[in-house]
Each structure stands twice: as structure tokens, then as C-alpha cells.
Amino acid sequence: MPSVAFYTLGCKVNFYDTEAMWQLFKNEGYEQVDFETTTADVYVINTCTVTNTGDKKSRQIIRRAVRRNPDAVIAVTGCYAQTSPAEIMAIPGVDLVVGTQDRDKLMGFIADIQKDRRPVNAVRNIMKTREFEELDVPDFAERTRAFLKIQEGCNNFCTFCIIPWSRGLSRSRKPESVLNQARQLVASGYKEIVLTGIHTGGYGDDLENYRLANLLQDLDKIDGLERIRISSIEASQIDDEMIRVLNASPKMCRHLHIPLQAGDDDILKRMRRKYTTAEFADKIARIHEAMPGVAITTDVIVGFPGETEEQFENGYRFMERMGFAEMHVFPYSKRTGTPAARMEDQVDEETKHERVHKLIDLSERMQAAYGREWVGRELYVIPEREAKGAEGQGLISGYTDNYLHVVLSGDESMIGKLCRVRITGSGVNECRGELLSVQDDIREIALHA
């Protein structure tokens, strides 16, 4: 049986794409083997280019695969492959470069290479692509949450970001196709679907009169689907219709990840973000009104070129006021080829490091405060696994709809079921809960009761 090994760098969308490519190999009778320990016939490296270090790490992994088995077919795909195919083709031992499109043709390319061993650069101009690449993932290692990619690419061209050049412009998966895949996932036993994409909230920008809000309404009607989660959405994409749907749907998770990136208007402008802090705050207030108890998490970039101490402090106070449930904090990292990399007044590493730590401390304080609000209250948890670090001790863990990570007493029979839990204690990264009942069918209850 021929074998394939995968190595994935970068974001969740890349991990989804790797799973989709594995389906193609599985259908051709391949077995998947471990990248680090086993010699494979084909190595697929799914690369990242969000930072310069992403490029570097990608090159290291490609060379590692070549060393593992010089006779194997080495196929490189993903964002770095899309933006710098010539750089990758120049690495001795690389047989195939496919970018962030045409992955449905992967098996044909590999069969040709196995016949005549001629290296192939199959990368095309991503900016001309207008079609969503249909690649399904019917199964995930996590039995409780399924990811469903509904969108690809981005039209925003923020000054710090290379993504439009590596993923192309925004394109949406056809609604019928999304709904069919959602029904199949529910039939396979998934109770929660996470909608994902490069710019998920941009879903429908290229469709006739059909937006993310319409898709959510249609997903809401699928029997057996208990939770719908959006992986990430921009503040500017949350309009009246979206707020109405969030308010009306019992299946929408009370957790939204809304990237802020900076809490100062001048920096937001230089980043070319499409909102001011006042507009952002207004959207957040309206979401809290529509979904009481909602957890809002965010991304923040620290030390963007020209960020003064005053602008940082400004941002810090704004974030504190927003009361996020958690912040993902990143130091600004120069990305060659983006406008921000050429800007004057780059902030030194030490200052960035200091500011990152201040914001991580703030994030932990806000996360603990959000958790404390729920102590003594009842929520529903879908257990995913035995509690990490407490294996064999009769503890399981999973998430509430508002993204609290809860550990409770229980056994594997409860995994994937809907459990009514009282929150008994809270911490920064996890809460404790006690089981009240196990509910197999969500339709008997209303999530927002």
C-alpha cells in the first residue's frame, strides 16, 4: 500500500486543507504515516507565508522531507508555495509545487511524476481565480466539532498582510454545497459545525443576494445540528441582519471572534482597517445586546510601525473597556512585500516584547473575569476528550456554547453528547463544572433558556 506523510504549517484553514488533501490520497488507496518517524512514498508539505519566519520554517521542513526519503515524491502546497514557487522549485529534491488552488488535481500530478520524475511547477496566478475550490472533509479526529470551509481569499489588503497575494480574492462556496456538506457532517454524528475561511465574514460578497446571515438561517434549519460557530468575523461585516440572526437563532454559539488588531484610530488607519474604535465599540455593544452573555475574543497586533507609547496606552485602555473574553496577542512581524514592512519607525523588539506581556496579562485578567460571571450558572457542554493532564482520573472536558473550557467528572460515554452542567469554579484557562444531566437531543431544549 503506498504511503503519504503530511506536515502542516500555519493557520486552521491550512489544517483543513491538509485534511481535504488526505481524503484525495485515501480515495486512491494510500495509508497515512507519521512525518517524523516513518519513511513515506509521498511527502506533502502545506506551507505558511504569513511571516518571513513562516517561509523559513517551510523551507526547513521541505529539506527534512527530502532527507527522509530522497526517492519519495516531495509535493509542496499552501501559501508560501503560491507566492514563491520558484524559490521552492530551487530546493533540490522538490518534485511538485501546487499553490492554494488546483489541489483537486494533486493525484494526477503525482502519478505523472512517479512515471517520469520530471519536476512540475503547477502554480497559477491566484488573482485570476474566481471559483471556490470544492474539497470536502467528511471526518475529523475530533468527533464533536466539525470544521466546514465556506470561503477562501480576502479583499481587504491590510498593510501588514500578505494573504490576498497568497490566497487570492474572496470567493464563496455555493450555498447548496455548504448545506449538503453540513447535512453529511450531522449524519456522521457531529453536533457542532465551525464555519471557517480566510475571511469568513466576507461570505457572499461574490454571490447574488446571499450573505453569511442567509447561510446561518439555512443552517439553523438542519435537524440534528446543535451548534453553529463562526471561526472569525470582522466588525464591519456585522450588520443589522446579522445581529437579527444572532439574536433569533438558538443554535448560534454565544462566542464571536472579532479581530481588533489595534485600539488606536491612527494605527487602525495605517493598518488600512475598515473601522474606527468608536465603530468597533458600537458593534460590540449591539452584539452584547442581541446575545446576552456572549464571549467576544479578538486578535491584537503589538508594535505596529510607528506605534508610540501613547498610542499603545490608548489601545490598552480601549481593550480593557471592551472586556474581551480573551485576546490573542501577536508582536508585529515584518512581512516582506507588504506596505507595513517598508514603513518608517519600526518598533524595536524589546519594546514589542514588553507591550506583548502587558496585553497578555490584561487578557488573562479579562478571561478570568469572564469565567467568574458564570460560576453557579447552568450551561451546556459537549465533552470532547479526557481532561488533558488528568488522564485516567475520570475527568472529561469540552466547551460551552460561549467557549468556556469546562472540566467535569465523567467517562468516555459522554463524549459528543450534550451535557447540562453547573459551573462550580473558574480559572484563567478552564472552569470546573458538575454534571446535572446528559441530553441526547438538543431539540427538546432552548440553548438560550
Side-chain angles (χ1 to χ4, degrees):
M1 188 188 263
S3 60
V4 59
F6 294 93
Y7 195 106
T8 309
L9 297 109
C11 66
K12 278 195 174 126
V13 177
N14 252 12
F15 280 86
Y16 180 95
D17 292 343
T18 296
E19 284 294 321
M21 288 186 279
W22 159 233
Q23 303 301 323
L24 303 175
F25 280 92
K26 196 152 91 175
N27 295 343
E28 297 282 329
Y30 274 74
E31 68 165 333
Q32 187 174 342
V33 297
D34 184 66
F35 185 93
E36 300 296 352
T37 57
T38 319
T39 307
D41 301 314
V42 179
Y43 288 90
V44 178
I45 297 97
N46 194 356
T47 59
C48 173
T49 193
V50 155
T51 61
N52 292 344
T53 36
D55 291 1
K56 191 175 158 203
K57 181 89 195 284
S58 297
R59 289 193 296 273
Q60 285 169 348
I61 301 299
I62 294 163
R63 291 196 186 96
R64 199 189 299 170
V66 174
R67 283 198 301 274
R68 282 273 139 80
N69 181 7
D71 297 331
V73 173
I74 308 289
V76 183
T77 177
C79 288
Y80 178 45
Q82 182 65 51
T83 53
S84 311
E87 236 170 74
I88 294 171
M89 288 300 285
I91 299 172
V94 170
D95 297 291
L96 172 65
V97 183
V98 180
T100 51
Q101 56 184 344
D102 297 329
R103 284 167 296 201
D104 45 352
K105 303 191 179 94
L106 202 56
M107 302 319 293
F109 290 135
I110 287 169
D112 291 347
I113 288 164
Q114 282 165 335
K115 278 206 292 284
D116 64 11
R117 294 306 298 211
R118 265 210 311 270
V120 176
N121 176 355
V123 176
R124 294 184 293 120
N125 181 354
I126 194 85
M127 288 303 178
K128 291 187 174 160
T129 300
R130 292 291 177 268
E131 285 296 302
F132 179 89
E133 182 180 63
E134 294 271 344
L135 289 170
D136 276 339
V137 181
D139 199 9
F140 294 82
E142 272 187 3
R143 289 295 309 155
T144 54
R145 262 192 290 177
F147 288 83
L148 176 47
K149 183 173 163 186
I150 62 169
Q151 182 278 342
E152 176 65 274
C154 181
N155 300 347
N156 271 11
F157 294 93
C158 298
T159 54
F160 52 80
C161 186
I162 198 82
I163 289 297
W165 307 106
S166 65
R167 289 276 179 176
L169 298 174
S170 187
R171 43 209 190 278
S172 309
R173 185 170 186 173
K174 291 186 177 65
E176 209 32 62
S177 164
V178 176
L179 296 168
N180 283 339
Q181 177 63 6
R183 286 185 202 104
Q184 280 169 330
L185 289 166
V186 170
S188 307
Y190 290 100
K191 291 190 167 33
E192 179 177 326
I193 287 178
V194 183
L195 302 177
T196 186
I198 291 298
H199 194 59
T200 316
Y203 181 84
D205 285 352
D206 52 341
L207 300 175
E208 283 287 312
N209 297 325
Y210 194 90
R211 291 285 180 272
L212 183 57
N214 306 96
L215 181 67
L216 295 174
Q217 279 175 304
D218 287 342
L219 284 166
D220 202 62
K221 295 175 191 138
I222 295 177
D223 275 350
L225 176 57
E226 304 186 348
R227 285 183 182 174
I228 304 161
R229 206 180 283 280
I230 305 168
S231 64
S232 180
I233 187 167
E234 293 288 336
S236 53
Q237 289 158 338
I238 299 171
D239 54 12
D240 292 348
E241 183 59 12
M242 189 66 175
I243 285 173
R244 198 185 61 71
V245 171
L246 293 176
N247 191 15
S249 163
K251 295 182 182 183
M252 279 304 305
C253 286
R254 289 174 298 176
H255 167 232
L256 290 172
H257 186 77
I258 308 174
L260 171 66
Q261 305 303 12
D264 177 90
D265 286 342
D266 289 342
I267 291 178
L268 286 172
K269 206 172 184 172
R270 287 213 305 282
M271 286 179 164
R272 210 184 289 150
R273 302 291 288 167
K274 292 182 163 53
Y275 50 83
T276 62
T277 50
E279 286 163 349
F280 188 94
D282 176 58
K283 286 286 167 75
I284 300 298
R286 290 178 61 195
I287 293 161
H288 277 295
E289 211 175 298
M291 292 179 111
V294 66
I296 292 176
T297 57
T298 196
D299 294 330
V300 179
I301 293 172
V302 177
F304 188 76
E307 182 184 70
T308 63
E309 193 57 42
E310 191 187 346
Q311 288 170 329
F312 170 74
E313 288 300 335
N314 224 352
Y316 184 98
R317 285 192 300 274
F318 179 75
M319 291 163 211
E320 202 169 26
R321 204 165 77 235
M322 287 298 96
F324 293 111
E326 188 185 356
M327 302 194 296
H328 299 165
V329 182
F330 306 93
Y332 169 73
S333 164
K334 251 188 184 181
R335 182 66 196 79
T336 313
T338 60
R342 298 188 294 273
M343 286 179 182
E344 311 267 299
D345 300 331
Q346 296 285 333
V347 177
D348 66 273
E349 293 307 310
E350 204 176 312
T351 306
K352 273 193 255 188
H353 188 71
E354 212 174 280
R355 290 176 185 175
V356 163
H357 279 286
K358 281 184 185 166
L359 287 185
I360 289 174
D361 289 346
L362 173 62
S363 173
E364 288 185 350
R365 277 213 312 281
M366 293 196 291
Q367 204 175 343
Y370 181 75
R372 277 197 301 276
E373 286 174 33
W374 296 91
V375 175
R377 293 163 76 177
E378 290 179 19
L379 290 166
Y380 286 91
V381 174
I382 301 180
E384 291 181 6
R385 60 167 73 87
E386 274 195 278
K388 275 187 183 153
E391 285 76 10
Q393 294 174 32
L395 292 172
I396 52 176
S397 72
Y399 286 91
T400 60
D401 77 300
N402 59 333
Y403 217 56
L404 291 178
H405 183 230
V406 179
V407 174
L408 65 149
S409 298
D411 57 48
E412 290 194 353
S413 70
M414 288 156 59
I415 289 174
K417 292 187 175 160
L418 195 77
C419 300
R420 196 161 61 94
V421 170
R422 180 179 290 111
I423 306 299
T424 55
S426 70
V428 172
N429 291 312
E430 64 179 41
C431 295
R432 293 300 297 251
E434 63 174 345
L435 180 69
L436 300 175
S437 64
V438 177
Q439 186 96 38
D440 278 322
D441 190 350
I442 196 168
R443 276 158 294 179
E444 298 163 25
I445 54 160
L447 255 180
H448 295 310

